[in-house]
Amino acid sequence: QKKKQQSRTRAWRQAARTSPGPDRRGPSPTDSRSAGGTRGPFLRKKKKLMFTTRGDLRARSAQEGDKVSRSIQTRLVHMTDKLDDPFDSVAPPIYQTATFNQPGATDFGPYDYSRSGNPTRTLLENQMADIENADGAFAFASGMAAIATVMRLVKPGESVLAGNDIYGGTQRFLGKIAPNKQGLHVRHVDMTKVDEVRAALEEGAAEGNAPVKLVLIESPTNPRLEVCDIAAISAVAKEHGAVVCVDNSIMAPIFQRPIDLGADISMTSATKFIAGHSDVTGGILSVVGKDLCDEIYFHQNAEGNMMSPFECWLALRGLKTMALRMEKQAENAARIAAFLEAHPMVKRVNYAGLASHPNSALHASQASSGGSIISFETGSVEASRRIVEDTKLFKITVSFGSVTSLISMPCYMSHASVPAEIRRERGLVDDLVRISAGIESIEDLIGDLEQAFAGAEKAVAAGAQ
C-alpha cells in the first residue's frame, strides 16, 4: 500500500480555505470556486493529518525528548517535522509542482494546488512557527506581500497605527494604498513613546472616531535604529482590541521573538537573514491564535501571494546557518559601530548595541544582540556619498541581511518613496548612511571603511577650497 500523502501544517487550513475569519464574508464550503477551483462540496473531505500544530508538539514533547525545549540553534538544523521521504534524504526534497494528482474524482489528498499549499512551503512554515513560538506561519512572495496581507485585517473606515521611522515600502503602502484604495485611516506616532501610542488608541476609541484595529511596530526601526517597547505597546493595544504586528526583519527570531513579548504577528523578511545570501525574495508571518491564522491563510490562498516552492527550499537551507551568520554579522557590526563612533567625520551613530544608544537598556531587555544594522550621519551629503561609493567590499544595495556587507544612503534608495517633507519632519536626514555588516574579516571591513573615509575627507576638503 502506498504511503499516505503528507498534509498541511494544520487541520484548520482546509476549513480556512473558505472561511475568511471572524466577521468576514466569504464563499460557502460548497462554492465550486473555493480553494484550488474545483473542490465544491468535497472540500472538507480530508485525509488524516500527519503534520502537527504547536499544541500537538507541546503535548508530545515529553515522549520525544522534549524537542521543543532545545535551543533555537539546534531547532534550525533539525526540523520539527519531516516529509514522508522514502529515501530519508538529509536535505528536504523540493516539490516544484503546480498541481497534485488526486486519489479520485471525489476523494482529495492533502494537497491539490500549490497556491493553496505545497509540501516544501509547509516545511518552511512549520519551522518558522516552531522557532517563533507561534500557532501558525505563512510564507509570502515578499515582505511587502506579507504586510499587505496583514492590512487585510482592517476594514474600511477603521484605523492603522504605525511609527514615524519605518521601512520605505511600508510607508508607501500606508501613504498611498491603505487610505486611497482600501479606505483605511492611517496615523503615525513616535512609537518610542508608549504614552503617544496609548493616546492614539484612546482617541480612536472615542465615539465618532475610526477605531485602531492594527498597530504596526518596528524595533529597532529602519533606518534610524530606534527602539520601541514591544511588550508595553502590545499590552496597551490589546486593551483596545487592536492586533499587534511587529516587523522583526532587523533582528529575526535569532535575536528577538515578538510573540514572546505579546505581539499577535511577527513579520520577518525572508529576503534578509532567513535566506541570507541575497538570492531569495520572501516574507513570513508567524501568527498566534486560530482565528487570526484562519484569516491570514484565507487571504494568502485567495489572493495567491505565497512564496514559491523553490524559494521556500532556499529559505529552508538558509535557516540552518542563520544563527551562525547572524552571530558573526552582529560581532562585526559591534566593531564597526565602535569605529564609527570614534571617527571625527561621524556626527551620530545609530546602533542598538552601543551603550550610548538612548534605549540600549530597553533593547537589551527584549533582544539578545544589537544586531548587524548600523546607520550614521556625517552632516554632509557629499561626504556620505563619497564614503558609500569609495568602499570596495560593501555592495551598494537597498537591502540588508546578506553574508556580503552592504551600504546605502536610505533617503536616495530604500526610503526614496517617502516624501522629502515627511523625511525632514521625522528626522530622516539626507546624509544618513546605513550599513549591513556581513561575515567578512572585520579587519578587512574596517580597513575598507578607513580608506573610504580618508578619500571622502580629502574630496570634501578639496571642494571647500
Side-chain angles (χ1 to χ4, degrees):
Q1 183 179 359
K2 293 182 179 180
K3 293 183 177 180
K4 291 184 177 181
Q5 295 177 345
Q6 294 295 330
S7 67
R8 290 187 185 79
T9 310
R10 297 152 197 91
W12 44 260
R13 279 199 169 185
Q14 285 289 351
R17 283 182 167 185
T18 53
S19 172
D23 301 321
R24 311 279 174 169
R25 293 190 61 193
S28 70
T30 58
D31 191 330
S32 63
R33 295 169 294 177
S34 62
T38 58
R39 302 297 292 275
F42 313 107
L43 178 63
R44 297 180 186 272
K45 294 185 177 180
K46 182 172 177 63
K47 294 185 177 182
K48 182 180 179 181
L49 291 172
M50 297 181 71
F51 277 108
T52 53
T53 65
R54 287 291 299 159
D56 294 332
L57 287 172
R58 294 188 182 103
R60 77 183 190 196
S61 63
Q63 299 175 333
E64 298 191 2
D66 199 18
K67 289 182 180 179
V68 293
S69 68
R70 291 174 180 167
S71 71
I72 191 169
Q73 290 86 350
T74 300
R75 286 152 64 192
L76 287 171
V77 177
H78 297 275
M79 292 185 292
T80 302
D81 292 311
K82 292 184 177 181
L83 294 171
D84 192 5
D85 178 8
F87 302 104
D88 200 20
S89 59
V90 175
I94 176 174
Y95 285 79
Q96 188 63 42
T97 183
T99 61
F100 300 83
N101 187 39
Q102 301 302 310
T106 60
D107 184 17
F108 292 88
Y111 296 95
D112 62 351
Y113 193 53
S114 279
R115 169 170 54 77
S116 301
N118 179 284
T120 309
R121 195 171 92 216
T122 296
L123 282 179
L124 175 61
E125 292 175 340
N126 277 9
Q127 192 166 14
M128 285 301 299
D130 176 50
I131 64 177
E132 292 261 37
N133 294 323
D135 292 313
F138 307 88
F140 294 86
S142 68
M144 281 310 306
I147 289 175
T149 299
V150 172
M151 297 296 292
R152 295 295 195 188
L153 302 176
V154 188
K155 298 177 183 178
E158 296 176 340
S159 288
V160 178
L161 187 64
N164 286 330
D165 189 40
I166 57 176
Y167 170 54
T170 306
Q171 178 60 58
R172 178 170 51 228
F173 192 102
L174 293 177
K176 295 184 177 181
I177 298 176
N180 299 329
K181 301 293 182 68
Q182 294 183 227
L184 309 182
H185 298 270
V186 178
R187 180 170 178 179
H188 295 274
V189 298
D190 184 348
M191 282 278 174
T192 66
K193 300 175 180 178
V194 179
D195 287 345
E196 285 197 21
V197 177
R198 180 181 290 106
L201 288 163
E202 290 175 351
E203 183 179 333
E207 186 176 354
N209 291 340
V212 175
K213 293 299 181 180
L214 176 65
V215 177
L216 294 176
I217 305 172
E218 288 185 24
S219 186
T221 63
N222 179 13
R224 291 192 292 140
L225 286 304
E226 294 180 335
V227 175
C228 309
D229 192 332
I230 297 174
I233 294 172
S234 297
V236 173
K238 288 182 179 179
E239 290 176 6
H240 292 82
V243 171
V244 175
C245 175
V246 178
D247 184 340
N248 196 40
S249 298
I250 286 180
M251 290 285 106
I254 296 297
F255 294 149
Q256 182 173 266
R257 286 182 280 283
I259 286 173
D260 291 350
L261 297 168
D264 301 292
I265 303 172
S266 175
M267 197 293 289
T268 309
S269 172
T271 311
K272 290 20 178 214
F273 296 104
I274 290 176
H277 294 76
S278 296
D279 55 7
V280 167
T281 303
I284 297 176
L285 297 178
S286 299
V287 184
V288 172
K290 178 183 180 300
D291 289 343
L292 205 52
C293 286
D294 284 350
E295 192 161 7
I296 294 293
Y297 175 67
F298 171 80
H299 287 290
Q300 182 194 50
N301 179 52
E303 298 179 28
N305 51 9
M306 70 291 167
M307 193 187 295
S308 72
F310 182 58
E311 292 196 304
C312 287
W313 186 83
L314 287 174
L316 280 167
R317 185 178 65 171
L319 281 175
K320 296 183 186 301
T321 60
M322 183 166 67
L324 287 173
R325 287 185 279 106
M326 291 191 69
E327 288 161 6
K328 174 61 176 174
Q329 289 165 308
E331 179 184 321
N332 282 351
R335 292 278 299 276
I336 292 172
F339 163 79
L340 293 171
E341 197 169 41
H343 200 285
M345 285 188 70
V346 176
K347 307 302 181 186
R348 177 188 178 96
V349 179
N350 304 308
Y351 179 61
L354 284 174
S356 58
H357 190 287
N359 281 325
S360 60
L362 171 60
H363 181 74
S365 72
Q366 62 189 20
S368 61
S369 170
S372 60
I373 312 301
I374 313 152
S375 65
F376 65 94
E377 301 170 20
T378 65
S380 165
V381 171
E382 179 61 18
S384 294
R385 184 186 69 81
R386 288 299 301 263
I387 291 167
V388 169
E389 294 180 354
D390 286 355
T391 57
K392 309 300 182 186
L393 298 177
F394 293 78
K395 304 296 184 184
I396 304 175
T397 78
V398 296
S399 191
F400 60 84
S402 175
V403 291
T404 304
S405 291
L406 312 173
I407 195 167
S408 68
M409 294 181 69
C411 288
Y412 297 91
M413 299 175 71
S414 58
H415 290 66
S417 63
V418 181
E421 63 274 14
I422 294 179
R423 295 200 304 265
R424 286 192 296 270
E425 180 183 306
R426 297 177 182 175
L428 184 55
V429 294
D430 289 349
D431 62 283
L432 187 74
V433 177
R434 186 184 71 189
I435 286 177
S436 172
I439 64 171
E440 302 94 338
S441 162
I442 187 58
E443 287 76 18
D444 291 338
L445 292 177
I446 290 181
D448 190 26
L449 287 171
E450 285 176 335
Q451 66 83 24
F453 270 89
E457 191 169 18
K458 289 180 181 178
V460 171
Q465 292 178 353

